[in-house]
Amino acid sequence: MSRITVFGAAGKAASRVVTEAAARGHHVTAVARDRDRLRDLPEGVRAAVGDVTGPGTVDALAKDEIETPRHLNRRFTVGY
């Protein structure tokens, strides 16, 4: 199965992504700025504290991963 890192995992939409990916057997790392908001994770999900906009956060999390993140070669738009 794939290794998936979900940033903003304490949020409404991302928490559902974490739950669904874990249920499908993926190796999931849930990332949030506040560890206290990651208390009710599905079994086997790894919790990590970080901010996707913080320097080094993505690099630090990627050091434990074997596969290259697939999103690096794709364009995407972030909307607020």
Side-chain angles (χ1 to χ4, degrees):
M1 284 289 145
S2 295
R3 293 172 188 234
I4 300 172
T5 300
V6 180
F7 286 90
K12 192 173 191 177
S15 64
R16 291 180 180 174
V17 171
V18 168
T19 300
E20 182 65 25
R24 292 182 183 206
H26 297 290
H27 302 282
V28 182
T29 300
V31 184
R33 289 178 291 202
D34 182 1
R35 184 178 293 278
D36 290 338
R37 296 194 61 201
L38 295 174
R39 287 180 292 198
D40 298 322
L41 294 173
E43 186 175 331
V45 173
R46 175 181 158 205
V49 175
D51 186 337
V52 72
T53 63
T57 299
V58 175
D59 290 340
L61 290 168
K63 285 182 182 179
D64 293 335
E65 303 296 330
I66 296 171
E67 298 177 31
T68 302
R70 292 184 175 91
H71 72 277
L72 294 179
N73 293 325
R74 296 188 181 141
R75 290 184 184 188
F76 60 93
T77 302
V78 177
Y80 296 95

